[in-house]
Amino acid sequence: MKFSTRTTYGLRAMIKLAANYNKAAVSLAHIAKKEKISQKYLERLFVALKKEKLVLSEKGASGGYRLARDPKNIRIYDIVRVLEGEINPFHCVNDKGEIICSQKCHCGATAILIKVQGAINSTLQSMKLSDLL
Amino acid sequence: MKFSTRTTYGLRAMIKLAANYNKAAVSLAHIAKKEKISQKYLERLFVALKKEKLVLSEKGASGGYRLARDPKNIRIYDIVRVLEGEINPFHCVNDKGEIICSQKCHCGATAILIKVQGAINSTLQSMKLSDLL
DNA sequence: ATAATTCCTACTATTTTAGTGGGTATTACC
DNA sequence: GGTAATACCCACTAAAATAGTAGGAATTAT
């Protein structure tokens, strides 16, 4: 049970952008070097982050990325959701907490699953990017 | 971010055993059929569960498995821990909540990771197998 | 003796995750 | 206008984890 490195990489990169909020855009080359992450891999993460409107991009020399809004208004949940995909840690419950058990069952296990899922979600939702600076 | 099917299968099987606590041992063939899980796959899960002393086995005809102790005293955490391995959902924190970041950093991200990990663990630890009957 | 069981070892297939390569389009700056 | 730095795009490969299969041996109630 692990979050992918995508998520950790993405969080680290977003923290960098948050530190530069209202300042210059930050290039991926810079982040990749500082954080020792493959730049190519980062590029793909940022395509996703941009698509979900968490970041803005500026092309060309001295371009880069910046946060799309105040880090106070970006939940950790928002970032994880983009990079990790749906937060449905068990196969018989979807990300909305609905039971999708292939056996159509409501066995005792689903009670656990829903509770764990809720704990993860509410933790991620309670934290803002600005909390990490 | 998913728990493996091992864990869901194992929980479902353990619920079956709990329902038969103080009654006859339950065979894997029975569970496999009822729960539509590969028996061979279940066998391997139970090797692990037995090794960690969560279940007892009885060989031979009319044998099977039974819980090693009262379901009140088996935490969901204990089961998940065996089947899922260490609960360290991020690469830079181990299952004891210690930072093992390859960059030796204590970046803002670790605050999130530890909090999420704690939320998962305390949820799993708060629930007993007996709660699911 | 037989059939039902746990127990053991090894192998294969599938899926997910991580990472690489080779470019094009855009833009600040000299 | 040339150059270097950047985002952006597509396709491929590598590695790891997960899931599932195969063929048995040892044990035991009946």
Side-chain angles (χ1 to χ4, degrees), chain A residues 4-6 9 40-41 44 59-62:
Chain A
S4 61
T5 57
R6 277 173 71 89
Y9 290 172
K40 284 290 189 184
Y41 201 51
R44 287 212 311 238
K59 278 191 169 184
S62 84

Side-chain angles (χ1 to χ4, degrees), chain A residues 8-133:
Chain A
T8 323
Y9 290 172
L11 286 171
R12 275 156 56 189
M14 289 293 276
I15 289 170
K16 285 274 183 210
L17 296 198
N20 242 39
Y21 183 61
N22 275 334
K23 296 182 197 162
V26 183
S27 77
L28 293 188
H30 176 78
I31 297 176
K33 197 176 170 192
K34 284 279 184 181
E35 298 282 331
K36 288 174 190 155
I37 297 171
S38 151
Q39 181 175 341
K40 284 290 189 184
Y41 201 51
L42 263 185
E43 284 180 8
R44 287 212 311 238
L45 305 192
F46 272 80
V47 167
L49 291 167
K50 187 185 176 188
K51 193 174 164 205
E52 296 300 320
K53 300 196 170 56
L54 295 178
V55 299
L56 302 173
S57 66
E58 289 168 19
K59 278 191 169 184
S62 84
Y65 286 93
R66 55 177 74 246
L67 293 184
R69 52 184 197 264
D70 193 303
K72 286 195 191 73
N73 298 324
I74 297 178
R75 298 178 300 179
I76 302 305
Y77 178 85
D78 300 325
I79 301 169
V80 174
R81 185 71 176 62
V82 170
L83 298 175
E84 195 70 33
E86 298 192 345
I87 312 285
N88 51 331
F90 299 99
H91 294 79
C92 42
V93 180
N94 73 9
D95 64 327
K96 289 168 192 69
E98 297 159 350
I99 294 167
I100 51 168
C101 177
S102 57
Q103 322 240 352
K104 322 272 185 214
C105 73
H106 187 118
C107 68
T110 54
I112 312 167
L113 314 187
I114 289 171
K115 210 165 170 182
V116 172
Q117 184 179 39
I120 295 171
N121 279 339
S122 66
T123 305
L124 293 173
Q125 286 169 4
S126 72
M127 302 185 83
K128 303 288 189 295
L129 190 50
S130 55
D131 296 334
L132 308 177
L133 298 176

Side-chain angles (χ1 to χ4, degrees), chain B residues 4-6 9 38 40-41 44 59-62:
Chain B
S4 60
T5 57
R6 277 174 72 87
Y9 290 172
S38 150
K40 285 291 189 183
Y41 201 51
R44 288 212 313 237
K59 276 190 170 183
S62 83

Side-chain angles (χ1 to χ4, degrees), chain B residues 50-116:
Chain B
K50 187 188 175 185
K51 195 174 163 204
E52 296 301 320
K53 300 196 171 57
L54 295 179
V55 299
L56 303 174
S57 65
E58 289 168 20
K59 276 190 170 183
S62 83
Y65 286 93
R66 54 177 73 247
L67 292 185
R69 52 183 197 265
D70 193 303
K72 287 197 190 74
N73 299 323
I74 298 179
R75 299 178 300 179
I76 302 305
Y77 177 85
D78 300 325
I79 301 169
V80 174
R81 186 70 176 62
V82 169
L83 298 175
E84 195 69 32
E86 297 191 344
I87 312 286
N88 51 331
F90 300 100
H91 294 78
C92 42
V93 179
N94 73 9
D95 63 327
K96 290 168 190 69
E98 298 158 352
I99 295 167
I100 51 169
C101 176
S102 57
Q103 320 240 352
K104 323 273 186 213
C105 72
H106 188 117
C107 68
T110 55
I112 312 166
L113 313 187
I114 289 171
K115 210 165 171 182
V116 173

